[in-house]
Each structure stands twice: as C-alpha cells, then as structure tokens.
Amino acid sequence: MATIQVVLACMLMSTRAQTQASQLDSLYAIGEYSKAIGLYQNQIPNTFNERISLAKVYLAKQQNDKALNLYKLALNKKQVLKHRFTYAQLLLGQKQYKLADSVFTQLHIDYPKNAEFVYQLGLSKKPNNTTTLNQYFAKAITLDSTHFRAYYELAYFYTKIKSYKKAQETCLKALKINSKHKKILGLLAQVLYNDKAYQLALEYFKAFDKHYDVPEFMLNKMAFSAWYLQDLELAIQYYNRLLQIDPKSYRYHQNIAKVYNASGNFKSAMRHAFSALRHKDVSQAKIYYELGLGFLGTKQYKLAVSTFEKVIDETPSYELAYVKLARAADLWHQDKSKVLPYFERYETYFDEVEDADYKDLMLRRLSDIRRKLHFDSAK
C-alpha cells in the first residue's frame, strides 16, 4: 500500500511539473516573462523541461547568469543537442571562453560536418589569440560555402596579422556569392586601405556607400583616399559630410582647409582654418600653417608672414613653415634686405640637417639675394 502511495505521489508531482512546464512555455510564448518567473518564486524547477523553459525566459529577460545556472543543472542529467548548443553560445556570450571551448569541441567531435559548430569553436578560441585560428573558420567555409560570418572572421584574422592579400582573397570569394554583403564589403575596403591600395579601396568604399549608411570612421578613410588620389572635389564632398556629423571637429576643418588650399580655393581654406582654430585648444601649428597658405594664396603677404611666425613659435622644427614664411616675405618686400633675415633664419636652423627637404631651394635663393644686395651696394 505504501509503495502504491509513493508511486501515486511521484506521478502527481510529475503531472504537476508537466503542467507547470506547459504553463511556463505558454507564458514564454506570449512574452509574459515576469509571470513565468513568478511561477517559480518559491521553488526550484526540478525537471529537465522546467529548467530549460525557465532558462529561456531568463535569456529573454537578459538575466544570463540565472539562465546559465539552469542550463548547467539541466544538462547534467540530459544531453539534448539543441540545448547543448544554446548553453555553449551562452557561455561564449558570458565570456566563459574555456568552458565554451570545451562544449563546442565536444559538439564538433560529435558532429564533425556541422559548419556552425566549428565556426563557434573558432569564436571561443579568439580571445586566446590562437595562431591557428584561421583553420576553424576555413573549415566552416569548406563545410558551408555560404557561411558569411566565417568568411568575415577568416578575413579579419588575416587582417589582424597583416596578411592583407589573403584577407582580400577571402573577402572576394565571399562577395562572389553575395556582392552586397555589408560586413564583408566594408572589411574589404578597409583591408585595401590598410594595404595602401587607395584607388581600389575607394571603389569598394563607394560600393558600400551606395547600399549602406557609412560610419564616420569609414567616411574619414574615404576622404583621405580621395585626397591621396588628388580627387580634390570628391575629398571636399566627403569632408563636408564629416563636418555634418561633427561640425566642431578641428581635424575635419583642418583637413578640408588643406584640400581647399590644394585646389586653389584659398578663401574657403581660410574659413575652415579659422573654424579649426576656434575648436582646437592645444597644438595649433598645422592649422595656422593652412591659414598661412590661404593668406599667401590670396596675396595677403603681411598676414601670411605673421601667421607662419605663429607656426614656428609653436613648432620650431616645422621646415615648410620657414619655407613659406620666407616666400611670403620675398613677395611682400621689394627691399630684399628685409627679406634676407627670413632666408638666413632657415639657413641657421636647417644647414646642419642632412635630410632637410628644401635646403637646396632655400640656399640657392639666399645666395641670389646676397648677390643682388652686394651688386646694389656697389652701384
């Protein structure tokens, strides 16, 4: 009789657990997560289904630690594939890389042809900077040629070790399957940029720009690429877009001033140089230099001289500032005796500097001025 009572009690408990698990699933299905958790406010779920169902609720509530504990309890008793996979992913998300590695390793052993398991195994090894990391992502691609996340991770791995050619090849293989894949298209453009292949990088940046919103850091690289390729109009377009994002960036104002100076639009260059000065409160030598070029280009030689002086005051080794200062003075003064000190100043500072870029030009002009002054005094 006692045995029957025990059996009946067990059956009743099992029925209650099943009913509660079913109720839990129903509440989970309609998003009533708080009510679902409330079912177990004063008790701990005992059955596998209850633990797994409650773990899913905690995941939905982003209470990952509680979900993780329930998966550990449940999976100690019953190894169900889909739940092992969820558990491993949760470990990975919680940065428990060693445990995640062990679970994914076992999953990969049990299911060696599953591309996702070997891909996730690679992710679990990333924090250890494993030198053989590429083999996991490459294998995932072998198992599933459309596994774009594996393509991305493989290309990123090659990028990180500066194996740019392999990174490019990996991205191009993926883009043959899907030419508009966002992450891979963006990565390829950046890989080419890092490899200083600016022309090709700009083509892929443009392709990305055609389909997606370009993040600021990428737009900055596009602007530099256009500047490097001397597509000044395009560089100005990109810097203007950057200024729409961050109108107080002294660096963007400074860079667009440089582009405007190169294009001969000195007034615009000065406008942006002044803006850069307003927004920068530390070293301003480079900005003053661009402003000085603007004054020089618009034949405001006196202002150019005083501006280049500011550059040199702040950065005494700024060779080009000495060159442009002397040039502005040369254009400003008819009396070359007033010009002589500017060229002699360059000579004093750079005569012993072996790799000075403008020494021949400056010393030649200095010699011409001295010769002219000598002949004028002899008349």
Side-chain angles (χ1 to χ4, degrees):
M1 184 69 176
T3 304
I4 295 172
Q5 287 178 335
V6 170
V7 170
L8 288 171
C10 289
M11 289 176 63
L12 182 60
M13 288 175 64
S14 175
T15 302
R16 284 177 180 171
Q18 289 176 6
T19 302
Q20 201 150 352
S22 177
Q23 189 178 359
L24 180 62
D25 284 335
S26 297
L27 290 169
Y28 171 79
I30 60 174
E32 291 282 8
Y33 305 131
S34 296
K35 287 184 180 179
I37 292 170
L39 292 176
Y40 292 88
Q41 205 163 23
N42 300 314
Q43 61 178 303
I44 297 172
N46 292 314
T47 69
F48 174 83
N49 287 336
E50 284 180 295
R51 287 168 177 171
I52 293 297
S53 295
L54 188 55
K56 290 192 294 183
V57 173
Y58 279 127
L59 277 179
K61 291 280 286 182
Q62 297 185 339
Q63 297 181 32
N64 293 346
D65 288 337
K66 291 181 178 179
L68 200 56
N69 289 332
L70 285 165
Y71 273 112
K72 286 178 186 176
L73 283 171
L75 294 174
N76 280 338
K77 293 186 175 181
K78 194 171 183 179
Q79 297 291 318
V80 178
L81 175 60
K82 67 176 181 179
H83 299 308
R84 286 166 64 196
F85 181 49
T86 303
Y87 173 54
Q89 286 181 303
L90 186 55
L91 287 167
L92 192 58
Q94 292 295 94
K95 298 182 180 180
Q96 296 190 37
Y97 301 116
K98 189 174 180 180
L99 277 172
D101 188 326
S102 66
V103 179
F104 279 123
T105 297
Q106 190 58 52
L107 283 168
H108 179 48
I109 291 168
D110 293 344
Y111 302 91
K113 293 185 178 180
N114 186 303
E116 187 64 22
F117 292 165
V118 70
Y119 164 74
Q120 296 281 349
L121 177 58
L123 291 183
S124 71
K125 293 180 180 294
K126 271 184 74 174
N128 296 324
N129 294 316
T130 309
T131 55
T132 57
L133 194 61
N134 57 314
Q135 71 183 25
Y136 299 99
F137 302 126
K139 188 170 184 180
I141 292 167
T142 301
L143 293 168
D144 178 2
S145 62
T146 63
H147 202 304
F148 289 102
R149 286 172 297 154
Y151 279 113
Y152 177 84
E153 291 294 343
L154 181 60
Y156 183 80
F157 169 83
Y158 286 134
T159 302
K160 197 171 181 181
I161 63 172
K162 297 185 178 180
S163 183
Y164 296 130
K165 298 303 178 188
K166 287 186 176 180
Q168 291 169 37
E169 289 169 4
T170 303
C171 288
L172 288 170
K173 285 178 183 176
L175 291 176
K176 282 183 179 178
I177 303 167
N178 180 358
S179 62
K180 297 178 183 177
H181 192 280
K182 184 177 182 179
K183 290 187 72 174
I184 293 172
L185 191 59
L187 180 60
L188 177 56
Q190 292 175 74
V191 168
L192 291 163
Y193 179 91
N194 291 342
D195 202 26
K196 295 182 168 52
Y198 297 116
Q199 183 69 60
L200 200 53
L202 193 54
E203 290 180 21
Y204 283 100
F205 278 131
K206 286 178 180 178
F208 187 96
D209 192 20
K210 184 178 179 180
H211 300 291
Y212 308 106
D213 291 332
V214 180
E216 185 176 350
F217 80 92
M218 192 181 290
L219 192 55
N220 195 23
K221 291 179 179 181
M222 293 166 70
F224 177 83
S225 298
W227 158 251
Y228 182 89
L229 296 167
Q230 287 298 287
D231 190 338
L232 303 181
E233 185 178 341
L234 186 60
I236 288 168
Q237 287 179 26
Y238 290 145
Y239 279 123
N240 275 324
R241 285 172 62 180
L242 284 164
L243 284 168
Q244 288 177 0
I245 297 170
D246 186 359
K248 293 184 178 180
S249 169
Y250 81 88
R251 195 176 299 280
Y252 297 155
H253 282 292
Q254 176 183 312
N255 287 341
I256 199 171
K258 179 171 63 176
V259 181
Y260 274 127
N261 273 324
S263 67
N265 188 340
F266 301 113
K267 288 184 178 179
S268 292
M270 286 189 290
R271 176 166 55 85
H272 283 285
F274 278 125
S275 294
L277 288 171
R278 284 198 303 273
H279 297 304
K280 190 175 184 185
D281 56 5
V282 285
S283 174
Q284 298 176 332
K286 290 184 178 180
I287 303 171
Y288 274 122
Y289 178 78
E290 295 300 334
L291 183 59
L293 288 182
F295 286 135
L296 188 59
T298 53
K299 300 182 180 180
Q300 299 180 69
Y301 302 128
K302 184 177 180 180
L303 285 172
V305 167
S306 62
T307 304
F308 288 125
E309 288 281 15
K310 290 179 181 178
V311 177
I312 293 167
D313 286 344
E314 188 170 323
T315 310
S317 60
Y318 204 136
E319 185 187 3
L320 256 177
Y322 288 85
V323 174
K324 297 299 182 181
L325 172 62
R327 172 65 176 161
D330 206 358
L331 291 168
W332 180 23
H333 296 293
Q334 292 295 319
D335 181 356
K336 297 308 172 185
S337 65
K338 294 181 179 180
V339 178
L340 187 63
Y342 294 99
F343 284 90
E344 288 179 334
R345 186 174 174 185
Y346 176 92
E347 180 184 38
T348 300
Y349 198 97
F350 293 98
D351 192 41
E352 300 301 320
V353 180
E354 292 184 8
D355 60 347
D357 293 322
Y358 300 92
K359 190 188 296 185
D360 290 345
L361 174 70
M362 293 294 283
L363 296 185
R364 192 181 310 121
R365 179 56 183 157
L366 176 59
S367 178
D368 290 342
I369 292 171
R370 284 172 173 165
R371 188 181 301 110
K372 177 178 176 16
L373 291 173
H374 172 75
F375 286 128
D376 286 350
S377 64
K379 290 179 181 178

